[in-house]
């Protein structure tokens, strides 16, 4: 046994050494492949910076040359002369076409543009005041101005060069030369890296990724936003922070993790170089996924080699140990096997027992859930009956008081042998008794639990019984219910009592919505359209806000005040209509108010009618 222990100890040492070598190898491979990626990125960065420098320097001396032109200097001396303005406009337009620049314009000392190459275009700069731009302020100080911005008039990005128009020692105006930078950005697209250029505030204005434009690499603090808005660098463009999840470094390389549109973050190796003369910083972002995949492949290769060597060593050591301890190991193996079989048998028996218990518990839970759903529907009806109780007491008390009066009068009339009058009183007593029986029957049918069978139901009958139940609520709200259900029967597949419950909920909700409003007319319509029967309840109430329309049928969601509703009526109604194979929709009417529409499958009039509930 001691030899076996020594064998496993040696194997453990080999495993530890193999793991350490694999970890060191993986780190080294990651460092190597990140360095290769950084080298490629440095080349791309140098090319991008060189291209920007070349494109910018191409136009840098042009504003000064234009400012020295005789026509431009004369216009600066006499800016109100229309002839000089027309000559300058034509000259600037010609120069702009030859140089293929974006715009060229001349500004007076007060910042108002007096001549421009786009003088004859709809978005002409003539008459616009750009005194808030830093390039104008620098030129008025006698310096050359440079500035990148989004045009407030043209809404096109460009790089602005400016030069003062000198008349002796005096500065009479400013010449501005705007260069289009979109052509540079187009060359950056479609590559496996991302090139971005940021301004002094860390805002991205040039990038091969359109979705990153005007995003901030640094936090958009109030100070940064104030400086940006003061110069109106980006006009009215929306500035937002780039979704940077983390910054870090590895093997001396800067790393940055950015959230992508698909929700998965991506890690980039970041290389940057400043352009101080323009106030820019050029950055190249290279996806590290390829480098890390290569490093992982190298790590797997190292690990496999070490594992192979370890396996060979393990085989040699194992054979040497087994030669000396074969019999003991075989005996021990048999005992261990028997013990493990017994343990596994006990474990399997325990697992089977737990599984049987869980299955039984889940079945019981499902049964309780179905019962709870049924009880919830019944609870909604009982809650509605509870709200009706006061009004129903009034409904019953009036006929009962009349019954007692008619009975007393009948006794007096009989005593006076006025049999005809007594018979009329008794007829009235019978009519009141029928009235009480009708109310009681409707309430009993509404309150009882229905079974689950569905069958043909006449919508007209359901509407008639519903009106008996909701009459009290309509009187309490001083509301009027107008029905439009046609003359013939409207047959649907469902349950009469549950459909009646849905209509009661919708009409009482409509009564709540119109209570206290000038217009209190509720409309109930039913009609057949193709293979469907549509039943709608509309009210002139406040309607359903769009913000809650998607949750209006959720359980316990209510817009009523505390103690005025459980939030179950619409949820129960929605589930009932779904059980019928239909749909319950809500919308706002164009003239105002809410419209609830029930869609149910229509049945042919010749189909046999069976009891639905």
């Amino acid at each position: 046994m001691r030899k076996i222990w020594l064998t496993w100890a040696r194997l453990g040492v080999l495993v530890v050494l193999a793991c350490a070598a694999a970890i060191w190898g993986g780190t080294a491979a990651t460092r190597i492949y990140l360095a290769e990626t950084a080298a490629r990125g440095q080349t791309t960065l140098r090319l991008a910076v060189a291209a920007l420098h070349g494109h910018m320097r191409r136009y840098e001396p042009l504003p000064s040359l234009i400012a020295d032109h005789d026509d431009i200097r004369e216009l600066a001396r006499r800016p109100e002369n229309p002839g000089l303005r027309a000559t300058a406009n034509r000259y600037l337009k010609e120069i702009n076409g030859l140089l293929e620049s974006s715009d060229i314009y001349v500004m007076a000392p007060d910042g108002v543009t007096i001549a421009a190459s786009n003088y004859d275009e709809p978005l002409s700069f003539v008459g616009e005041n750009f005194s808030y731009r830093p390039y104008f302020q620098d030129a008025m100080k006698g310096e050359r101005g440079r500035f990148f911005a989004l045009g407030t008039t043209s809404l096109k990005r460009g790089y602005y060069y400016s030069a003062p128009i000198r008349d002796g020692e005096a500065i009479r105006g400013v010449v501005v030369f705007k260069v289009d930078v979109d052509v540079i950005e187009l060359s950056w697209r479609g590559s496996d890296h991302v090139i971005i250029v940021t301004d002094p505030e860390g805002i991205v204005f040039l990038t091969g990724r359109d979705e990153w434009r005007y995003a901030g690499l640094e936090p958009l603090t109030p100070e940064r936003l104030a400086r940006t808005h003061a110069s109106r660098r980006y006009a009215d463009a929306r500035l937002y922070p780039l979704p940077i999840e983390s910054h870090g470094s590895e093997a001396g390389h800067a790393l940055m993790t950015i959230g992508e549109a698909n929700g998965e973050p991506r890690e980039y190796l970041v290389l940057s170089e400043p352009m101080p003369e323009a106030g820019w910083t050029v950055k190249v972002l290279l996806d590290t996924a390829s480098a890390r995949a290569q490093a992982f492949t190298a790590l797997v290769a190292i690990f496999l080699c070490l594992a192979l060597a370890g396996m060979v060593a393990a085989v040699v050591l194992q054979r040497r140990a087994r030669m000396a301890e074969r019999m003991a190991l075989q005996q021990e193996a048999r005992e261990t096997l028997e013990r493990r079989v017994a343990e596994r048998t006990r474990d399997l028996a325990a697992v089977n027992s737990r599984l049987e218990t869980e299955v039984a518990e889940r079945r019981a839970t499902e049964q309780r859930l179905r019962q709870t759903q049924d009880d919830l529907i019944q609870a909604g009806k009982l809650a509605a009956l509870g709200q009706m109780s006061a009004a129903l007491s009034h409904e019953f008390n009036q006929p009962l008081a009349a019954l007692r009066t008619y009975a007393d009068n009948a006794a007096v009339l009989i005593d006076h042998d006025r049999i005809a009058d007594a018979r009329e009183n008794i007829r009235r007593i019978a009519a009141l008794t029928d009235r009480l029986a009708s109310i009681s029957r409707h309430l009993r049918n509404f309150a009882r639990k229905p079974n689950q069978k569905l069958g043909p139901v006449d919508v007209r009958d359901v509407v008639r019984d519903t009106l008996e139940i909701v009459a009290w609520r309509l009187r309490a709200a001083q509301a009027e219910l107008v029905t439009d259900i046609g003359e013939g029967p409207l047959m649907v597949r469902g349950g009469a009592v549950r459909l009646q419950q849905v209509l009661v909920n919708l009409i009482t909700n409509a009564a709540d919505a119109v209570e206290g409003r000038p217009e209190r007319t509720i409309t109930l319509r039913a009609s057949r359209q193709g293979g469907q029967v549509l039943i709608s309840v509309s009210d002139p109430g406040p309607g359903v806000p769009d913000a809650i329309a998607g949750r209006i049928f959720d359980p316990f969601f209510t817009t009523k005040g505390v103690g005025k509703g459980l939030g179950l009526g619409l949820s129960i109604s929605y589930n009932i209509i779904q059980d019928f194979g239909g749909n319950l929709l809500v919308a706002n009417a164009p003239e105002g108010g809410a419209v609830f529409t029930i869609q149910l499958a229509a049945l042919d009039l010749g189909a046999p009618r069976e009891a639905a509930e």
Side-chain angles (χ1 to χ4, degrees), residues 31-358:
R31 185 182 298 110
I32 292 171
Y33 288 115
L34 285 178
E36 292 181 357
T37 303
R40 294 196 305 272
Q42 284 291 352
T43 302
T44 302
L45 180 61
R46 286 194 296 271
L47 292 175
V49 173
L52 286 171
H53 276 300
H55 191 74
M56 297 296 104
R57 288 172 181 170
R58 174 185 174 188
Y59 301 99
E60 186 173 6
L62 297 178
S64 298
L65 295 176
I66 296 174
D68 288 336
H69 194 275
D70 293 338
D71 291 339
I72 300 301
R73 296 177 67 181
E74 188 63 26
L75 174 64
R77 294 190 190 100
R78 294 186 293 164
E80 302 299 329
N81 189 308
L84 293 175
R85 285 195 175 196
T87 301
N89 283 332
R90 290 192 296 271
Y91 170 69
L92 294 178
K93 186 174 184 66
E94 180 181 0
I95 293 298
N96 188 62
L98 292 174
L99 298 178
E100 296 181 351
S101 55
S102 179
D103 299 291
I104 308 173
Y105 49 100
V106 179
M107 302 169 63
D110 58 357
V112 176
T113 304
I114 57 177
S117 60
N118 60 2
Y119 71 95
D120 56 351
E121 297 179 7
L123 296 178
S124 173
F125 292 171
V126 176
E128 298 290 338
N129 192 314
F130 302 115
S131 60
Y132 52 85
R133 290 296 200 190
Y135 61 76
F136 172 79
Q137 300 165 7
D138 293 340
M140 288 303 297
K141 296 176 184 176
E143 303 172 358
R144 289 183 177 183
R146 301 178 66 167
F147 189 67
F148 175 85
L150 180 68
T152 57
T153 301
S154 64
L155 297 180
K156 293 174 58 179
R157 293 174 300 158
Y159 196 76
Y160 298 82
Y161 297 94
S162 64
I165 303 174
R166 297 182 182 274
D167 184 13
E169 296 297 326
I171 297 177
R172 299 293 185 182
V174 176
V175 173
V176 183
F177 197 96
K178 181 179 178 183
V179 180
D180 192 356
V181 295
D182 289 346
V183 65
I184 300 176
E185 195 177 66
L186 289 174
S187 65
W188 295 347
R189 297 183 179 178
S191 59
D192 57 352
H193 53 262
V194 181
I195 302 176
I196 62 175
V197 182
T198 61
D199 66 5
E201 305 300 339
I203 297 173
V204 178
F205 61 85
L206 286 178
T207 173
R209 297 277 295 271
D210 292 341
E211 65 271 20
W212 289 2
R213 190 173 297 123
Y214 308 129
L217 292 183
E218 303 293 338
L220 297 177
T221 61
E223 294 78 8
R224 287 195 173 95
L225 292 175
R227 288 192 293 268
T228 301
H229 291 156
S231 64
R232 300 196 66 188
R233 183 188 293 271
Y234 300 111
D236 297 327
R238 185 179 71 87
L239 305 180
Y240 62 95
L242 193 68
I244 300 175
E245 298 189 0
S246 65
H247 291 276
S249 63
E250 185 173 346
H253 303 291
L255 301 177
M256 182 167 59
T257 303
I258 302 176
E260 298 292 335
N262 58 7
E264 296 183 1
R266 181 175 293 183
E267 183 186 58
Y268 294 94
L269 187 148
V270 183
L271 302 172
S272 60
E273 182 174 335
M275 293 180 64
E277 69 278 5
W280 296 352
T281 301
V282 184
K283 297 179 183 289
V284 175
L285 279 63
L286 301 104
D287 195 343
T288 61
S290 176
R292 295 198 179 278
Q294 290 175 316
F296 179 76
T297 303
L299 175 63
V300 171
I302 293 172
F303 183 79
L304 289 176
C305 292
L306 292 175
L308 182 59
M311 290 175 62
V312 172
V315 169
V316 173
L317 292 175
Q318 187 179 26
R319 285 184 177 179
R320 291 180 60 184
R322 288 289 178 87
M323 289 178 64
E325 302 291 341
R326 179 175 301 173
M327 298 302 298
L329 288 175
Q330 289 179 350
Q331 180 63 31
E332 184 178 355
R334 284 194 295 268
E335 293 176 355
T336 302
L337 180 61
E338 292 174 357
R339 184 175 64 255
R340 288 182 178 178
V341 169
E343 291 175 354
R344 292 292 177 86
T345 303
R346 289 195 300 271
D347 292 342
L348 288 175
V351 169
N352 287 336
S353 178
R354 288 196 298 271
L355 287 176
E356 291 176 356
T357 302
E358 290 179 1

Side-chain angles (χ1 to χ4, degrees), residues 442 458-469 485 500 503:
H442 287 307
D458 191 346
V459 174
R460 295 172 57 83
D461 295 341
V462 175
V463 171
R464 184 187 63 251
D465 294 343
T466 301
L467 294 181
E468 292 284 345
I469 295 178
I485 58 177
Q500 178 184 346
L503 293 179

Side-chain angles (χ1 to χ4, degrees), residues 499-576:
L499 182 57
Q500 178 184 346
Q501 181 180 357
V502 174
L503 293 179
V504 168
N505 283 334
L506 296 182
I507 295 174
T508 54
N509 283 348
D512 294 339
V514 303
E515 190 168 6
R517 299 181 69 88
E519 174 62 27
R520 292 190 287 271
T521 301
I522 302 169
T523 304
L524 188 150
R525 294 185 176 91
S527 63
R528 176 166 179 167
Q529 297 184 9
Q532 287 187 328
V533 170
L534 303 183
I535 308 171
S536 65
V537 177
S538 58
D539 62 75
V544 180
D546 294 337
I548 65 171
R551 298 184 296 155
I552 195 71
F553 298 115
D554 291 348
F556 304 106
F557 179 82
T558 179
T559 59
K560 300 177 182 178
V562 177
K564 295 185 178 181
L566 299 176
L568 294 174
L570 289 179
S571 175
I572 293 172
S573 300
Y574 182 84
N575 289 327
I576 289 174

